[in-house]
Amino acid sequence: MPRFFMDRGEIGPGFAVLTGEQAAHARVLRLKSGDRVTLCDGQGTDYQCVIDQVHPDRIRLAVESQGSAASEAAVTVRVFMAFAKGDKPEHVIQKATELGAAEILLFPSSRCVMRLDGKSQEKKLARWQKIAASAAEQSGRGRIPIVQVLSSYEEAVAEAARADRALFFYENEETVTLTEALREPFSTVSLMTGPEGGFEDREVEAARAAGMTVCSLGKRILRCETAPLCALSAVMFAAGEF
Ligand code: SAH
């Protein structure tokens, strides 16, 4: 069924109106009166609608029911990724959205090569949020993941530690496995991974001191754009999402 994202504030009591690009998209799909569509408010609620009237520049929908978005994961997973070079952040934002992440938060760490200053940060963040919105639409998400840039490593660790399972992935960890870390039931998870150069020992200790579980992602060294997606897929599997 065709899905359209619409701000909750634009959805009236019992009706909604598609205009602009959304109306053009509906026309491309040759939607007509009586056809069913889903409106998503991007915050986890879906509205089941029927097309009521079709005009050249707007389409009026009758809202029949609403409920939690069926495509959203039962667990809330926040992906914390250290700044990485090139289009690696874009790649992870797109794939993590498809895989069901609730938030993607980027942060600086000692070995990050990429640095963001005020202006470039604003531009990058706008672009990253658009990538999340477009991936959410393509993958049929009911929620558009929030993309954030955190100002320091310390802020990232403090934020990541606030979860039932706060997992810090260290490439030199040889004891604690992801299987063990996910053995007990959980509803909120933080996944933290480092940049191309990995983490400094003192960064690992700071995460441990904040109560995060330092964890391995197996015997092979994954690239910084592979690790978050590997961890996210494993968490979704453990949560029964697949
Ligand atoms: N410096 C490393 C590469 C770092 S990979 C090297 O080339 O040797 C980037 C990040 O991915 C790491 O900081 C870690 O967070 C995660 N990662 C990669 N492989 C991992 C593994 N086997 N176990 C745990 N984390 C891993």
Side-chain angles (χ1 to χ4, degrees):
M1 189 184 301
R3 304 166 66 84
F4 296 89
F5 276 103
M6 185 176 283
D7 285 349
R8 187 176 288 180
E10 291 172 38
I11 301 173
F15 76 95
V17 180
L18 296 178
T19 57
E21 277 177 30
Q22 304 263 38
H25 180 203
R27 273 201 305 283
V28 164
L29 297 174
R30 299 184 189 288
L31 293 177
K32 59 190 182 307
S33 245
D35 285 350
R36 294 186 175 283
V37 302
T38 299
L39 278 188
C40 314
D41 69 356
Q43 297 168 44
T45 302
D46 280 357
Y47 299 78
Q48 301 312 322
C49 307
V50 174
I51 293 184
D52 183 20
Q53 296 165 8
V54 177
H55 302 283
D57 60 349
R58 68 190 192 290
I59 293 176
R60 183 183 165 93
L61 308 174
V63 177
E64 290 193 325
S65 64
Q66 69 183 67
S68 299
S71 59
E72 286 305 301
V75 292
T76 301
V77 187
R78 304 169 85 201
V79 173
F80 291 76
M81 175 189 182
F83 291 154
K85 290 186 289 189
D87 64 354
K88 292 171 189 164
E90 284 83 345
H91 176 80
V92 171
I93 289 165
Q94 184 184 63
K95 302 310 169 197
T97 298
E98 294 167 47
L99 286 165
E103 288 183 51
I104 299 127
L105 305 97
L106 293 106
F107 64 91
S109 70
S110 309
R111 297 180 188 169
C112 286
V113 177
M114 180 181 101
R115 290 280 169 212
L116 279 183
D117 56 35
K119 206 82 193 108
S120 64
Q121 177 171 320
E122 228 174 275
K123 262 176 77 180
K124 281 251 182 212
L125 197 48
R127 173 170 155 67
W128 288 342
Q129 190 60 69
K130 271 205 190 105
I131 287 170
S134 148
E137 189 145 3
Q138 172 274 323
S139 58
R141 291 284 302 267
R143 176 184 300 281
I144 299 174
I146 299 165
V147 182
Q148 282 192 63
V149 171
L150 300 176
S151 57
S152 69
Y153 178 74
E154 293 68 24
E155 183 190 2
V157 168
E159 193 57 39
R162 294 173 44 235
D164 296 339
R165 287 287 168 288
L167 306 181
F168 180 94
F169 294 104
Y170 183 38
E171 58 275 25
N172 300 326
E173 172 60 31
E174 292 179 355
T175 316
V176 180
T177 65
L178 188 49
T179 305
E180 283 158 18
L182 295 176
R183 207 179 293 285
E184 301 300 318
F186 53 86
S187 65
T188 59
V189 182
S190 296
L191 305 172
M192 181 173 269
T193 55
E196 291 87 348
F199 284 119
E200 304 269 359
D201 288 347
R202 62 180 179 75
E203 290 173 324
V204 182
E205 289 325 308
R208 212 191 296 275
M212 295 190 77
T213 302
V214 178
C215 195
S216 168
L217 276 173
K219 301 180 186 64
R220 290 170 296 283
I221 297 289
L222 309 179
R223 286 180 180 275
C224 66
E225 66 273 27
T226 311
L229 302 175
C230 167
L232 178 56
S233 301
V235 166
M236 288 303 183
F237 175 77
E241 287 294 320
F242 301 145

